[in-house]
Amino acid sequence: MENNDALDIGAVSSPYPSQSEGVSTPLPQVTSPSFDNAASPVAGRRAVRQTPTSAVRRRGRETDSARRRRSRSRSLGNSVYSSPYDAGTPGTPGTPVATPVYATPVGTPMGTPSFHRGTPQYKQRSELGSQGKPLHRRRRSQSREPGHRSPSREPSADGRPSESAEPDDTLGGEYAYVWGTNVNIPDVLRAIRRFLHNYRSSAHDLNSKYIQIIEETVEREEDTLNIDMSDIYDHDPDLYAKIVRYPLDIIPLLDTECQEVATSLLPTFEKHIEARPFNLKASVHMRELNPSDIDKLVSVKGMVIRCSSIIPEIKGAFFKCLVCGHSPPLVTVVKGRVEEPTRCEKPECAARNAMSLIHNRCTFANKQIVRLQETPDAIPEGETPHTVSMCLYNTMVDAVKPGDRIEVTGVFKAMAVRVGPNQRTLRALYKTYIDCVHVKKSDRGRLQTEDPMEMDKENDMYAGYHESDTSEAANEAKIQKLKELSKLPDIYDRLSRSLAPSIWELEDIKKGLLCQLFGGKAKKIPSGASFRGDINVLLVGDPGTSKSQLLQYVHKIAPRGIYTSGRGSSAVGLTAYVTKDPETRETVLESGALVLSDRGICCIDEFDKMSDNARSMLHEVMEQQTVSVAKAGIIASLNARTSVLACANPSGSRYNARLSVIDNIQLPPTLLSRFDLIYLMLDKPDEQNDRRLARHLVALHYENYEVSKQDALDLQTLTAYITYARQHVHPTLSDEAAEDLINGYVEMRQKGNFPGSSKKVITATPRQLESMIRISEALARMRFSEVVEKVDAAEAVRLLDVALQQSATDHATGTIDMDLITTGVSASERIRRANLLAALRELIADKISPGSSSGLKTSQLLEDIRSQSSVDVSLQDIKNALGSLQGEGFLTVHGDIVKRV
Amino acid sequence: MGGPSMDLYGNPLGAVRVLFERSCRNAASAAELTRSDWGVQELFQNSLFAESGHLQVPEINSVPLDAIPVNSLVRFRGMVQDMFDVEYYIGAYKDQGVWHTSKYMDVADVPSGSEAEAQMWDRRVLYCVPIPGENSWVKESCAAQRTAALSTVTVSQGEKRPRGSSDEEAFEAMEADAPLGNDASDKKRLRGDEIASTSQGSPAATDLDLNMPLGSSEGNKLVPCLIKVYDGQDADLKLNDVVEVFGVLTFDPQISAASFHQNNGDDSYMDVVQSAFLEDNVSMRLPASKVPRLQCITWRKICQSDYAHGASLAVLPSDVAETRKSLLDYLTFSLGGDALAAEYLLLHLLSQVHARVDAMALGKLSLNITGCNPGSEGGLSPTAATAADVISKLVPRSHLMPLSLQTLNHAPVAPRKDYVSNRLVTGAMQLSDGTHLTLDETALQAGTLNSVGVQNLEVLKHLLQWQKVEYDFQYHKMEMPADVPVLVLSQGKSRILPTDVIVPLNATASHNPFNVTDSDLISWRRYIMKAREMDHSLDESTQKIVENDLVAARQEDRTLAPDVFHRWLTMARLMAVSYLEPTLKLERWRKVRDLEHQCAARLRCM
């Protein structure tokens, strides 16, 4: 914010009835040591006398010329003072006056010397100077009846120590207090000075952090200084507490001290530095704000939902006598009102009622009212979000846009609601708002920071800030816990169990989805080519195999994600489209689902129902990770670094075992090859599975379903685990793992090269090798391992294999042997089956000699196996095993009779 | 006067004041008064609930608003439609050395000098609408009860009311003819004026959206209320809760006048700036004649059993079978003699979400009855009309929605936030838990759905599948859990709306006339309420059998998906509950399987 020559203009923005005079903020009259000999004590005294207000804050330390220059530069408008992000302000840069409403013709001679002569400088920050009503602050007995305070505001009216900071007082004036408290102002000033001069961010830093920052600020000719409150807390907890408790009084002192440092560094520095404290130790939830927070410094997080247009706030009114042309100095705003001079002050003229307000020579400040709403994650279930209004001033104006997630630091204020614009009666209602001193855009809660370069660096406002909303220690503990989890030997299984525990089995699919959630590592090679790290998954399966539920679940835990249905999605709805903004008539680019899920997961249900046109848009997204738009004069390429999770039904809506895999999926091979994992979710007869399903469902319906999710991580932990891994673990391939992956790929490729089968099965392409790398990286991430090891590679090959039912595919025909499908079979089950297979092979080898004509009945085999084995074996198990053995060409089965080949 | 010592109902603010003054005397500092309610709640709750005194309190919407004196205790039954922001007000102030309170008042005339001593407190403002879809029998019985209660009271009115409160002495000390009493009549007159002025067709008042989810369908004017809740009593209040609020009806002519002016829109610069702050104070903008203010003293959630009105819910087992049978007969008759569909309809009526696991809502059983003939000229299907009528007689809240292009394209059914007015604009799908919804798909004809219509269908689909409604907050969506049993009536199988069960209707031509008596209806309603309150469990042995049964069924028919099993288990639960049995008996399970067989057979025939 800029140096405001005038008092705040509350009345324009905020009704402030006269009754409330008595309770307006009692502010200390602080005078900084006058290092500037030009500022006369007389001027200071006069200032106070002229404006019998409680809220005078005088810093008479500027030369006339400095003041003049400043004043001129201000009237030259926006461009001078706008912050870097101010570009969107409606006021055209170069328009002489801050707001379009009060535009001044260019070239008007501004700031004649007489204009300022003898004008005392009132500097009051809009955000602090507005009429706070510190109702909570009970006066001590020494204070007068507040109701009668204003008439007796003459500085010399009484010798009350709290009010007697005379201009000549230097810091030695030991009896200046914040009114109504025992906070001694000189003490505070000294504490601030100590902090500024002595605080070092680390022990071996030679220079004080803030002196350095002020130096930089001065060099850049800026006028704001962000002060990290955690630094203050580290240095002087008492000062921290005072700032939070009495921000209206103490923050101006911070300004004063910073200004002093700045002027000592560069005596010609003429701007007014404003301190912007931020990063309070604790931020308040919006719904926890309560009357006891009023007039305290609070920090609130939320999402901007509405911004008002810029409101010009008059700071100084310029009058001109219509008779003689004489202009008195700028009349400052007192309590939001401008006292219009009734007669010309020139003794020769003294015309009555001849003073006229000249708009374009008044000074204004920018102000904006912004409504903040709770972020979605802070809203308890079943309630609507709370909102709070806030006022932004000067450089902070237009720093935020609707939709931004921000964290504001400011003073929580209450303002009496006046009923009707012209009524002066005060009803017992208050409107609350936050006067901001600092705004920080945050993008927390979403996956990001993969690329720290993207962070807003140009902005001083955010400099030197490390994000954390809980204390370091708590965070540290949380991370420690996650790390411990990652050390568990069964973390992989545990994670997959935690994913959608209500959905029965489907373990390998869950593992695939887990890989997708963790993601591979995006690579960029120096030549500029980049390789995506996102893993795309396609689920193809029979109706009723809980595909949609899996999608819903992933959508729920994905860091950022959009859930859409292929039916009814159009190409533009998925990518981006161009529309006309109804208000501004500007052409705007609106993002579609894929762009919105940048760095997240885009879940597309009913992928097969999607129109070909829409589907073809995915080609670019899934490999290049961008969306290109060339429409209505806009040519843009938007990032869409998203993982796609799609699900589809087989072409005949049910999987047809007689057709090949490709024929069943019926999607163009170009698109298919872009999916890293394609899962066929087939339903196959298996009594064991059915029993587990039945048990699971019954348990689900009768409320003891917890049994099924032992050792699982809860949703929060799972999300935290994934987020941490994505942010902090960037594994690289080890040589052995690379070797294994290559072997796996070659093998897979050979399978595809089966003579005459190329059209029938999904053949491996170099994309599959990339997929394997990504999946193995994701697997390493799950263990928080920086190196991809052999196990990861092996599991990656297995996952790819399982996904397409490669093991069950007859590569000659491309069909799948339904009996061999292993989807959804847990590891233990697989081992059990392998054991059974081995046992059966042995048994048959024992009983039947190769080529003998005698056979064995399956029932006979079952009995034999049962007598050998300790676990229960069913006829179906035997049949399955026999099926595999038959597939190996070890034996033949004719009806019930098993024969050795 | 010296008459009735303490008129809790006529002059509740007087009672509040007495209690406040007493605690002032005890309190050491002003701060001590802040977070206590001085025993107000306890006093009123004792009087209201312990002796069912609540029936004597006039109810807004059953008694005309202008017949209720201002500042008296009133009752309001409604659904929380929107939650506004916290309001800060001067709760207590000192005038000439004496503490006063303005709690439970809209505004207070705080003398200018005393402000420094004022205590600022906060209260929550809720916007409640009359319960959407509430059926007329509920209202009638409520009204009947009240008149019954009043008639007994009027006899003893002259005498002392039997209250037996220990606080009585304190109240006796209070003067009954407090200035408030006089105020009340004054304000009432003013209020009458204001009503007259607003009803003279000022545009601001007419296009003011009262946000009733289903509109005020019944022509009679039901008013929503602004409820101000004190002392954090709102902690467990949620959106769409159905509540009964007891509070002080307040009215302030000045504020109303101001809001009236504001609505008329004065475009001066002053207003633009000021409204930037005031705009979010919706409570200021709603005219008090349309939206009465209620200062909530105490509230409670309305649950099922409230509709039984004290009558014991205990039903003898022998009666159960009887009642179930007669209800089933009635449903059969209503569905044109289709007993199978009637069984399904009964189970459907008893269904409710009893648990949520991940995204799944367990316990819901949405029903699609196919084979309904469309109504003539785009009107309602006769089946839909009958079904909706029958359902409205049986459950407390229900709604029939023709799924025509027009209704779909007309307005979004999901609530959305309007940031300009800072209100949650309601939609037809903002329904309280337990509200039954009938969708008549036969009304749908070929035509174009606009984007609103497409979204509406998505919302309905989502509701059917997950029992959740997505509220649109513009920058993000928020899923609100719902519990709305949906019955879809269609000609063929509904391809748009996925339901749990599909039953083709097989109406027989012959209709035996069926007489329904009031006592029948009452016993059926009680039966349904009782059944919905039942807890249910499954013992080990039955569990084993059920599991085996499921496995066997799946071995037999590979196409049986987990969905089907979910349906069977839900139906089994409902079947047991429909006999008011706490555990699942095997014969109920068999019956479910049997029903499913019959239904599957019918589906195959089609």
Side-chain angles (χ1 to χ4, degrees):
Chain A
M1 205 213 338
E2 206 36 49
N3 35 6
N4 307 313
D5 295 57
L7 280 180
D8 183 36
I9 179 163
V12 178
S13 61
S14 44
Y16 199 63
S18 56
Q19 285 124 301
S20 57
E21 271 173 27
V23 285
S24 52
T25 327
L27 290 164
Q29 292 185 320
V30 185
T31 312
S32 34
S34 41
F35 50 85
D36 179 350
N37 42 16
S40 69
V42 182
R45 277 213 188 89
R46 223 175 86 207
V48 179
R49 209 170 293 124
Q50 277 174 349
T51 55
T53 165
S54 58
V56 172
R57 208 164 295 153
R58 206 193 54 85
R59 286 179 214 157
R61 72 168 99 88
E62 289 172 51
T63 61
D64 270 357
S65 64
R67 223 177 288 134
R68 186 162 62 243
R69 236 175 297 141
R70 175 156 35 83
S71 160
R72 181 184 298 140
S73 65
R74 189 237 310 288
S75 9
L76 281 174
N78 245 354
S79 50
V80 180
Y81 293 100
S82 53
S83 55
Y85 35 78
D86 230 355
T89 320
T92 338
T95 312
V97 165
T99 65
V101 184
Y102 290 83
T104 317
V106 185
T108 311
M110 303 297 286
T112 50
S114 64
F115 198 151
H116 295 281
R117 192 156 296 142
T119 316
Q121 283 297 320
Y122 304 115
K123 278 164 298 286
Q124 191 174 28
R125 294 175 54 166
S126 313
E127 69 265 36
L128 304 173
S130 298
Q131 327 61 34
K133 288 166 59 78
L135 285 166
H136 65 282
R137 214 179 296 170
R138 297 277 74 81
R139 308 284 166 250
R140 309 218 153 188
S141 53
Q142 96 248 25
S143 66
R144 278 177 284 171
E145 180 56 43
H148 310 296
R149 206 152 39 79
S150 47
S152 57
R153 277 298 273 199
E154 300 296 319
S156 53
D158 69 358
R160 216 153 28 96
S162 61
E163 294 277 334
S164 66
E166 287 296 304
D168 307 272
D169 283 352
T170 55
L171 273 183
E174 291 293 343
Y175 37 80
Y177 290 91
V178 170
W179 205 68
T181 69
N182 57 357
V183 178
N184 185 323
I185 287 163
D187 277 354
V188 173
L189 281 172
R190 269 194 294 269
I192 294 172
R193 185 171 301 173
R194 267 200 306 275
F195 166 73
L196 287 178
H197 286 276
N198 301 337
Y199 183 79
R200 282 163 179 75
S201 39
S202 59
H204 41 268
D205 253 0
L206 288 178
N207 296 329
S208 150
K209 176 179 173 185
Y210 284 95
I211 298 291
Q212 215 162 3
I213 292 180
I214 293 174
E215 224 169 283
E216 287 164 18
T217 310
V218 168
E219 265 167 36
R220 279 198 301 263
E221 299 226 319
E222 283 177 351
D223 53 6
T224 56
L225 174 73
N226 297 312
I227 296 181
D228 190 335
M229 289 292 278
S230 65
D231 290 349
I232 296 192
Y233 186 81
D234 288 347
H235 189 260
D236 185 353
D238 183 50
L239 179 61
Y240 174 88
K242 279 179 183 145
I243 295 177
V244 171
R245 184 79 178 76
Y246 309 110
L248 294 175
D249 305 320
I250 311 280
I251 292 177
L253 303 183
L254 265 176
D255 292 358
T256 314
E257 283 304 314
C258 296
Q259 182 67 32
E260 210 167 289
V261 173
T263 331
S264 66
L265 288 169
L266 182 73
T268 54
F269 186 70
E270 59 196 30
K271 291 187 172 186
H272 261 272
I273 290 204
E274 259 176 29
R276 299 197 184 289
F278 72 108
N279 194 14
L280 296 192
K281 284 183 68 63
S283 74
V284 199
H285 274 297
M286 215 177 276
R287 57 182 66 228
E288 283 159 15
L289 284 174
N290 64 57
S292 68
D293 289 322
I294 284 174
D295 283 338
K296 288 192 191 147
L297 199 62
V298 293
S299 154
V300 175
K301 273 182 224 162
M303 190 168 63
V304 179
I305 50 167
R306 283 195 85 198
C307 292
S308 74
S309 52
I310 298 172
I311 301 162
E313 245 193 346
I314 196 161
K315 289 287 168 193
F318 183 84
F319 288 97
K320 191 175 172 185
C321 176
L322 292 177
V323 178
C324 66
H326 167 79
S327 297
L330 277 183
V331 179
T332 53
V333 172
V334 179
K335 281 205 176 107
R337 324 200 84 223
V338 175
E339 209 66 49
E340 189 180 335
T342 50
R343 61 162 65 202
C344 184
E345 67 175 16
K346 227 168 153 185
E348 307 89 84
C349 173
R352 281 181 170 274
N353 299 329
M355 304 302 285
S356 153
L357 185 75
I358 310 295
H359 281 282
N360 54 17
R361 293 177 69 177
C362 295
T363 53
F364 296 92
N366 286 343
K367 170 177 171 178
Q368 188 178 33
I369 293 162
V370 166
R371 185 100 50 75
L372 204 63
Q373 179 182 285
E374 278 177 310
T375 47
D377 43 312
I379 307 165
E381 189 177 304
E383 298 211 23
T384 56
H386 278 208
T387 58
V388 66
S389 296
M390 46 182 219
C391 291
L392 298 178
Y393 298 92
N394 295 349
T395 54
M396 281 182 286
V397 164
D398 269 355
V400 294
K401 290 183 294 300
D404 284 349
R405 283 157 188 250
I406 61 170
E407 181 174 349
V408 299
T409 309
V411 185
F412 189 51
K413 289 202 178 168
M415 173 182 78
V417 174
R418 206 160 37 145
V419 181
N422 301 317
Q423 275 161 311
R424 312 214 105 247
T425 39
L426 181 70
R427 314 313 302 230
L429 288 186
Y430 284 88
K431 186 75 225 132
T432 52
Y433 61 97
I434 294 176
D435 264 339
C436 298
V437 292
H438 186 273
V439 182
K440 186 179 87 73
K441 281 191 217 184
S442 65
D443 216 4
R444 200 111 36 80
R446 292 172 169 179
L447 264 213
Q448 25 112 278
T449 64
E450 248 177 277
D451 191 358
M453 292 306 289
E454 283 182 342
M455 273 165 56
D456 240 334
K457 273 217 172 142
E458 83 248 46
N459 219 326
D460 173 42
M461 217 152 167
Y462 313 134
Y465 183 76
H466 54 96
E467 299 201 3
S468 72
D469 64 335
T470 47
S471 69
E472 282 301 285
N475 244 350
E476 209 47 52
K478 229 192 256 165
I479 290 169
Q480 204 50 48
K481 219 181 119 212
L482 292 179
K483 282 189 175 151
E484 269 164 33
L485 267 179
S486 73
K487 299 255 162 43
L488 291 173
D490 63 337
I491 184 65
Y492 180 43
D493 285 322
R494 205 178 268 231
L495 285 170
S496 78
R497 263 202 304 276
S498 321
L499 192 75
S502 70
I503 296 166
W504 138 89
E505 296 288 331
L506 303 179
E507 276 189 25
D508 282 325
I509 294 174
K510 287 185 188 174
K511 282 176 179 165
L513 294 178
L514 214 50
C515 287
Q516 181 176 38
L517 282 166
F518 278 89
K521 197 175 66 172
K523 291 165 216 63
K524 213 170 197 161
I525 53 174
S527 66
S530 60
F531 297 98
R532 70 184 157 101
D534 302 283
I535 296 170
N536 300 320
V537 180
L538 174 67
L539 307 177
V540 182
D542 294 333
T545 40
S546 32
K547 296 186 298 291
S548 296
Q549 284 176 31
L550 276 175
L551 244 67
Q552 283 276 350
Y553 197 89
V554 169
H555 169 62
K556 208 153 88 183
I557 57 174
R560 180 197 278 206
I562 301 281
Y563 183 96
T564 104
S565 173
R567 198 202 298 258
S569 295
S570 63
V572 290
L574 281 177
T575 55
Y577 49 98
V578 175
T579 55
K580 275 240 159 69
D581 186 305
E583 268 172 43
T584 60
R585 310 299 305 154
E586 280 168 357
T587 331
V588 272
L589 201 57
E590 296 269 359
S591 310
L594 286 165
V595 178
L596 287 176
S597 45
D598 185 30
R599 294 189 184 284
I601 294 180
C602 183
C603 302
I604 308 174
D605 208 346
E606 307 194 58
F607 194 59
D608 50 325
K609 313 284 188 305
M610 197 182 236
S611 72
D612 286 343
N613 185 21
R615 224 185 277 149
S616 67
M617 294 296 283
L618 288 171
H619 282 105
E620 185 192 353
V621 174
M622 289 174 65
E623 204 58 53
Q624 269 66 50
Q625 309 241 293
T626 54
V627 165
S628 302
V629 180
K631 204 183 274 179
I634 293 183
I635 298 167
S637 190
L638 305 170
N639 275 334
R641 291 155 295 186
T642 167
S643 307
V644 175
L645 169 59
C647 75
N649 288 334
S651 58
S653 86
R654 186 161 270 284
Y655 192 87
N656 187 342
R658 277 185 296 278
L659 294 177
S660 69
V661 176
I662 292 278
D663 288 338
N664 265 305
I665 298 179
Q666 274 292 355
L667 286 171
T670 47
L671 202 54
L672 272 190
S673 71
R674 283 170 162 84
F675 283 103
D676 301 79
L677 289 169
I678 301 169
Y679 279 105
L680 292 173
M681 300 173 72
L682 304 186
D683 199 25
K684 51 157 179 164
D686 180 342
E687 203 192 318
Q688 289 294 321
N689 274 342
D690 289 350
R691 185 160 297 280
R692 266 196 298 274
L693 169 69
R695 195 166 298 155
H696 176 79
L697 290 183
V698 172
L700 203 63
H701 275 263
Y702 290 92
E703 292 172 63
N704 42 2
Y705 54 87
E706 277 82 8
V707 199
S708 58
K709 45 175 173 184
Q710 70 267 16
D711 304 336
L713 278 68
D714 60 58
L715 198 66
Q716 281 81 20
T717 322
L718 183 61
T719 322
Y721 193 91
I722 293 174
T723 314
Y724 182 83
R726 283 188 75 131
Q727 283 179 358
H728 296 101
V729 185
H730 302 285
T732 45
L733 272 179
S734 67
D735 288 346
E736 310 99 69
E739 192 66 32
D740 280 7
L741 287 177
I742 290 166
N743 291 339
Y745 169 66
V746 170
E747 204 173 298
M748 202 181 278
R749 182 106 180 135
Q750 270 164 1
K751 274 188 203 163
N753 282 345
F754 208 90
S757 74
S758 58
K759 287 201 185 72
K760 301 287 173 111
V761 290
I762 298 167
T763 33
T765 63
R767 282 212 170 100
Q768 261 71 45
L769 182 55
E770 284 179 34
S771 301
M772 280 190 214
I773 296 171
R774 278 191 284 269
I775 293 168
S776 56
E777 280 167 357
L779 288 166
R781 260 188 183 170
M782 284 182 215
R783 296 183 290 111
F784 285 5
S785 158
E786 288 292 346
V787 181
V788 179
E789 285 164 22
K790 268 175 97 86
V791 274
D792 300 319
E795 176 67 8
V797 174
R798 191 191 71 81
L799 274 178
L800 263 183
D801 205 48
V802 165
L804 272 178
Q805 316 282 3
Q806 294 281 12
S807 53
T809 310
D810 180 343
H811 287 271
T813 59
T815 57
I816 285 179
D817 184 344
M818 296 299 278
D819 286 342
L820 291 184
I821 293 173
T822 50
T823 319
V825 179
S826 61
S828 59
E829 178 70 11
R830 271 197 305 277
I831 293 165
R832 200 180 71 88
R833 284 185 190 184
N835 289 343
L836 180 66
L837 202 68
L840 203 60
R841 193 198 303 268
E842 239 171 68
L843 189 72
I844 292 169
D846 273 1
K847 298 232 164 174
I848 321 167
S849 51
S852 94
S853 56
S854 65
L856 267 178
K857 279 203 162 185
T858 36
S859 51
Q860 178 74 42
L861 277 173
L862 179 65
E863 267 172 42
D864 290 347
I865 289 282
R866 273 190 179 156
S867 63
Q868 286 183 10
S869 145
S870 54
V871 287
D872 187 38
V873 181
S874 71
L875 189 61
Q876 187 66 39
D877 289 336
I878 296 281
K879 280 186 177 161
N880 285 345
L882 287 176
S884 334
L885 289 176
Q886 192 175 13
E888 287 175 18
F890 180 69
L891 47 77
T892 55
V893 183
H894 294 292
D896 242 7
I897 307 294
V898 178
K899 281 189 179 162
R900 183 87 185 267
V901 178
Chain B
M1 259 160 64
S5 57
M6 180 77 188
D7 190 359
L8 275 190
Y9 301 161
N11 184 8
L13 290 176
V16 170
R17 200 165 49 223
V18 169
L19 289 171
F20 173 72
E21 276 160 14
R22 188 194 302 160
S23 43
C24 271
R25 263 175 266 138
N26 301 334
S29 73
E32 251 177 62
L33 296 168
T34 309
R35 276 282 161 192
S36 78
D37 79 335
W38 328 308
V40 171
Q41 270 211 57
E42 196 191 343
L43 171 69
F44 278 89
Q45 267 170 354
N46 279 342
S47 163
L48 288 169
F49 302 134
E51 302 155 39
S52 60
H54 64 277
L55 293 173
Q56 296 165 28
V57 179
E59 188 187 343
I60 292 178
N61 285 338
S62 70
V63 176
L65 198 54
D66 43 2
I68 306 172
V70 166
N71 287 336
S72 66
L73 195 69
V74 291
R75 192 151 61 109
F76 176 73
R77 295 171 345 103
M79 183 186 86
V80 182
Q81 191 268 325
D82 197 358
M83 300 169 126
F84 294 150
D85 284 331
V86 171
E87 196 172 78
Y88 287 65
Y89 69 104
I90 293 182
Y93 56 92
K94 209 170 198 171
D95 191 15
Q96 289 150 9
V98 184
W99 281 99
H100 297 274
T101 181
S102 58
K103 198 170 171 180
Y104 305 116
M105 291 182 213
D106 247 344
V107 290
D109 292 304
V110 181
S112 50
S114 69
E115 262 189 68
E117 293 276 10
Q119 293 282 308
M120 194 185 291
W121 296 342
D122 54 349
R123 60 188 170 204
R124 188 79 190 273
V125 185
L126 303 175
Y127 185 79
C128 295
V129 293
I131 303 166
E134 187 170 63
N135 288 314
S136 52
W137 62 266
V138 179
K139 285 170 206 157
E140 276 159 22
S141 68
C142 284
Q145 270 194 321
R146 177 163 190 268
T147 43
L150 276 187
S151 61
T152 56
V153 170
T154 37
V155 179
S156 60
Q157 189 112 74
E159 287 118 53
K160 204 176 199 177
R161 282 189 196 163
R163 210 160 290 118
S165 143
S166 61
D167 293 308
E168 219 150 27
E169 306 91 78
F171 304 146
E172 251 144 16
M174 194 206 85
E175 282 182 311
D177 57 345
L180 273 169
N182 303 335
D183 270 10
S185 57
D186 265 8
K187 283 182 178 166
K188 197 175 152 194
R189 188 173 45 73
L190 274 166
R191 192 155 57 107
D193 292 351
E194 204 250 358
I195 289 170
S197 70
T198 44
S199 59
Q200 275 160 13
S202 86
T206 47
D207 64 16
L208 188 85
D209 195 0
L210 294 180
N211 265 342
M212 314 254 219
L214 302 175
S216 44
S217 49
E218 307 150 42
N220 63 350
K221 281 190 232 141
L222 296 180
V223 292
C225 269
L226 264 184
I227 314 260
K228 306 202 172 172
V229 189
Y230 293 82
D231 297 324
Q233 280 192 67
D234 57 318
D236 47 353
L237 256 177
K238 295 214 164 22
L239 206 64
N240 302 349
D241 273 352
V242 175
V243 290
E244 184 166 36
V245 179
F246 296 88
V248 188
L249 177 73
T250 53
F251 178 80
D252 181 70
Q254 251 182 312
I255 284 194
S256 297
S259 67
F260 180 68
H261 287 304
Q262 239 164 19
N263 276 329
N264 282 351
D266 192 343
D267 275 337
S268 74
Y269 171 72
M270 212 38 190
D271 264 11
V272 174
V273 178
Q274 201 175 28
S275 65
F277 263 133
L278 285 179
E279 67 189 338
D280 46 342
N281 198 350
V282 191
S283 50
M284 299 285 290
R285 273 185 325 208
L286 297 162
S289 56
K290 302 261 176 200
V291 186
R293 270 55 162 168
L294 223 63
Q295 316 288 324
C296 167
I297 286 176
T298 183
W299 65 272
R300 57 174 188 172
K301 277 188 191 168
I302 296 180
C303 52
Q304 294 269 339
S305 56
D306 282 325
Y307 298 117
H309 299 301
S312 142
L313 278 176
V315 189
L316 291 171
S318 60
D319 292 348
V320 175
E322 190 77 6
T323 319
R324 191 181 185 280
K325 174 91 177 50
S326 67
L327 176 55
L328 209 55
D329 284 347
Y330 177 51
L331 293 178
T332 312
F333 164 74
S334 317
L335 290 171
D338 188 340
L340 179 67
E343 280 277 1
Y344 273 100
L345 184 58
L346 175 63
L347 297 186
H348 165 70
L349 284 178
L350 299 181
S351 70
Q352 61 188 335
V353 178
H354 63 80
R356 281 178 194 275
V357 182
D358 295 343
M360 261 192 292
L362 297 177
K364 69 172 178 101
L365 189 74
S366 51
L367 177 63
N368 180 5
I369 296 184
T370 63
C372 304
N373 295 323
S376 51
E377 290 156 31
L380 277 177
S381 151
T383 327
T386 346
D389 182 49
V390 167
I391 291 167
S392 74
K393 281 183 194 153
L394 295 175
V395 299
R397 298 185 289 276
S398 67
H399 179 58
L400 167 67
M401 182 171 161
L403 208 63
S404 66
L405 280 179
Q406 199 200 347
T407 43
L408 280 175
N409 285 340
H410 175 61
V413 291
R416 64 205 177 277
K417 181 85 175 183
D418 178 0
Y419 285 112
V420 178
S421 63
N422 203 24
R423 291 176 72 188
L424 187 66
V425 179
T426 191
M429 285 304 114
Q430 190 176 14
L431 297 174
S432 55
D433 285 359
T435 310
H436 185 277
L437 181 68
T438 310
L439 296 173
D440 180 10
E441 209 194 271
T442 60
L444 194 60
Q445 276 161 354
T448 335
L449 275 185
N450 60 21
S451 61
V452 174
V454 173
Q455 273 170 14
N456 283 344
L457 275 184
E458 281 299 317
V459 170
L460 289 175
K461 233 170 95 177
H462 201 78
L463 176 72
L464 277 166
Q465 238 176 330
W466 313 109
Q467 283 293 333
K468 280 181 177 171
V469 179
E470 265 193 345
Y471 288 24
D472 184 359
F473 278 87
Q474 206 168 330
Y475 301 100
H476 60 101
K477 303 232 167 151
M478 227 162 77
E479 269 190 342
M480 292 280 180
D483 183 5
V484 178
V486 187
L487 170 67
V488 181
L489 298 159
S490 59
Q491 247 178 311
K493 173 178 176 266
S494 175
R495 297 226 170 255
I496 314 170
L497 302 167
T499 52
D500 296 323
V501 191
I502 298 160
V503 184
L505 189 64
N506 187 7
T508 47
S510 63
H511 284 201
N512 301 327
F514 197 94
N515 288 326
V516 183
T517 61
D518 276 355
S519 67
D520 280 344
L521 280 175
I522 290 172
S523 65
W524 291 337
R525 284 169 199 158
R526 276 193 200 151
Y527 160 74
I528 290 178
M529 280 165 211
K530 177 79 186 159
R532 288 178 70 112
E533 279 179 0
M534 288 284 294
D535 262 345
H536 185 61
S537 64
L538 183 67
D539 56 48
E540 288 278 317
S541 58
T542 332
Q543 182 170 351
K544 205 85 210 142
I545 296 168
V546 169
E547 273 176 33
N548 287 339
D549 226 15
L550 291 180
V551 174
R554 201 167 152 82
Q555 291 291 316
E556 216 169 90
D557 182 0
R558 295 309 308 165
T559 57
L560 289 180
D563 293 7
V564 181
F565 290 175
H566 272 299
R567 181 169 78 219
W568 289 357
L569 289 166
T570 309
M571 283 174 66
R573 181 195 185 91
L574 293 171
M575 186 60 85
V577 151
S578 81
Y579 287 97
L580 303 189
E581 289 164 355
T583 52
L584 180 64
K585 286 188 193 158
L586 221 47
E587 60 177 304
R588 309 297 173 224
W589 172 249
R590 301 249 157 80
K591 182 157 186 188
V592 166
R593 292 295 311 274
D594 185 44
L595 282 180
E596 281 288 290
H597 274 303
Q598 290 183 36
C599 182
R602 261 197 209 180
L603 277 170
R604 269 197 298 276
C605 290
M606 284 171 63

